[in-house]
Every structure is written in structure tokens, then in C-alpha cells.
């Protein structure tokens, strides 16, 4: 199965700053089948990005995804207070679908 | 508005059985593939099982649950099920019902907590 490794584990930033989250796959993810989710405490995950770079419905354009092959990135251009949360990547190009272990974006 | 209401979680002894359910509303249930995703305490998210659209004739399982769990759907009641047998301590997790858009998940339930403990 494809193992996804997210880095860093924790990102400490201030509101207004840019956040860059990395997701590296142990094998190439076919057809850019890579998604990103946001998760806040006590809530279910929310889909942000699918197809590596396509924003889900209702997701602000400060969230963007990029990458291909084994290296993917989620960028939050300017952090809003509500963006401090955990973020997970997930690949769905090769069964079984697998998730990364998450990156926590915390207020500095 | 899409709503997924997970239910049926609880405490069960190792080796026991439990069924979790998911009542769906706000979308045309029969035309959506569905999956279950779980998260064990202190661990990451894990895809568990998926079922195809319409009659659900195709089902898929993670190796960790294959042969023990069964996914099914009742389209007349807009409900998804996960029947779990031979439960293990390591199956303890919050189980989320999700809409499956070909491998990524665009709507999530609030989750049902399943605790396997003696």
C-alpha cells in the first residue's frame, strides 16, 4: 500500500502568514488522485482539495493544492483564525486508499 | 443539505459483534457510492470499506477487516450499514460514514464510537 508522510508534524504560524504543508508518497500517486482534508477538534474532517489541485465546493481560494507523482503540497495563502486545525492528505489512486498522519497548524 | 447520521456505536467485548448505521438525507442516496472510514484513538484515519452505487453489488474492504466486516445499503431507507463480527481491541475507533466520489470523500457523518474492551 502507498504510505503518505506529511511534514512538518506541527506548523506554528500567525494569522495572515502563509502555510505550506507537504505530503510525500512512498510510490507515485496515479493521475494525481490526492485529496486534502481539514479537521477541527470534535468535528468530522472536511474535504478541501481533490485531484491534487481542485477545490471542493465552498472552499475559499486561499486554499490551493499542487504537486504530482510523489510530492504534493497544500498552501494556505493567508491564514485566517478559523484555519488553525489539522490537515490530512489522502491518496485514492491505488487501493487501499490511505491517509497521511496529519499536520497540525497552530497559532504561534 | 447533505446529512449523514451515524449511529449504533457502543461497548462490545472482544470477539463480539456490532452493527453501525448511517442515515443519509439531502441527496440522491442510490446514486452515491459510500464508504466507512475510522480513526482509532491516537491514530490516523483509515479507510475501512466501500460499496458501489445502486444495488451495492460491489463491495471492498481493507485487509484489516476483510472476512469480519460486511458493508451493505438499504436504498429504500437511505441507510448504510457496517456489520462487524469477531471484533478486536484494535477495532476500537470512531467510525465515519462518508460519501465516496471515486475514492475521495466529500461528506462525512459525525461518527459513531465503537469500543472493544473486556
Amino acid at each position: 500500500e502507498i504510505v503518505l508522510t506529511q511534514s512538518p508534524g506541527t506548523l506554528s504560524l500567525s494569522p495572515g502568514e502563509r502555510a505550506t504543508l507537504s505530503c510525500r508518497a512512498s510510490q507515485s500517486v496515479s493521475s494525481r488522485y490526492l485529496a486534502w482534508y481539514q479537521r477541527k477538534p470534535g468535528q468530522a474532517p472536511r474535504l478541501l482539495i481533490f485531484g491534487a489541485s481542485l477545490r471542493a465546493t465552498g472552499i475559499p481560494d486561499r486554499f490551493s493544492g499542487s504537486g504530482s507523482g510523489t510530492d504534493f503540497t497544500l498552501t494556505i495563502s493567508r491564514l485566517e483564525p478559523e484555519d488553525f486545525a489539522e490537515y490530512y492528505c489522502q491518496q485514492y489512486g491505488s487501493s487501499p486508499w490511505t491517509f497521511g498522519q496529519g499536520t497540525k497548524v497552530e497559532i504561534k | 443539505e447533505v446529512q449523514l447520521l451515524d449511529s449504533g456505536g457502543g461497548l462490545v467485548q472482544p470477539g463480539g459483534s456490532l452493527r453501525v448505521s448511517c442515515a443519509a438525507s439531502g441527496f440522491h442516496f442510490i446514486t452515491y457510492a459510500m464508504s466507512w472510514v475510522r480513526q482509532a484513538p491516537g491514530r490516523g484515519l483509515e479507510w475501512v470499506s466501500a460499496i458501489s452505487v445502486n444495488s451495492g453489488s460491489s463491495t471492498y474492504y481493507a485487509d484489516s477487516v476483510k472476512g469480519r466486516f460486511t458493508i451493505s445499503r438499504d436504498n429504500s431507507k437511505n441507510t448504510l450499514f457496517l456489520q462487524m463480527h469477531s471484533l478486536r481491541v484494535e477495532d476500537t475507533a470512531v467510525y465515519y460514514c462518508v460519501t465516496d466520489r471515486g475514492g475521495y470523500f466529500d461528506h462525512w457523518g459525525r461518527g459513531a464510537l465503537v469500543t472493544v474492551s473486556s
Side-chain angles (χ1 to χ4, degrees), chain B residues 2 11 15 18 20 22 27 31 35 38 43 46 48 55 59 62 64 66 75 81 91 104 110-111:
Chain B
V2 171
L11 174 64
L18 197 66
V20 290
C22 170
F27 64 104
T31 65
S35 276
R38 69 184 180 183
R43 303 197 63 179
E46 179 188 19
V48 173
S55 65
T59 57
S64 57
K66 200 172 292 183
N75 294 325
F81 301 101
D91 294 319
Y104 69 91
R110 296 299 297 271

Side-chain angles (χ1 to χ4, degrees), chain A residues 78-105:
Chain A
R78 289 178 56 85
L79 282 164
E80 297 288 341
E82 62 267 26
D83 299 336
F84 291 92
E86 279 193 293
Y87 293 85
Y88 295 87
C89 60
Q90 179 232 337
Q91 67 80 24
Y92 53 101
S94 173
S95 183
W97 319 143
T98 51
F99 291 84
Q101 83 282 11
T103 289
K104 182 178 181 180
V105 178

Side-chain angles (χ1 to χ4, degrees), chain B residues 14-108:
Chain B
S17 299
L18 197 66
R19 187 178 79 164
V20 290
S21 304
C22 170
S25 60
F27 64 104
H28 199 195
F29 181 71
I30 195 171
T31 65
Y32 277 66
M34 301 292 295
S35 276
W36 290 95
V37 174
R38 69 184 180 183
Q39 185 163 30
R43 303 197 63 179
L45 295 162
E46 179 188 19
W47 169 79
V48 173
S49 181
I51 188 167
S52 59
V53 302
N54 296 328
S55 65
S57 56
S58 297
T59 57
Y60 310 88
Y61 299 93
D63 285 346
S64 57
V65 306
K66 200 172 292 183
R68 302 187 297 122
F69 289 14
T70 302
I71 190 172
S72 62
R73 63 191 300 158
D74 183 342
N75 294 325
S76 69
K77 296 181 179 177
N78 289 352
T79 302
L80 178 73
F81 301 101
L82 185 68
Q83 177 70 55
M84 302 178 285
H85 294 295
S86 303
L87 281 161
R88 306 168 180 167
V89 170
E90 56 265 34
D91 294 319
T92 295
V94 176
Y95 286 74
Y96 296 98
C97 162
V98 296
T99 53
D100 187 334
R101 307 310 302 273
Y104 69 91
F105 314 118
D106 61 346
H107 296 284
W108 295 62

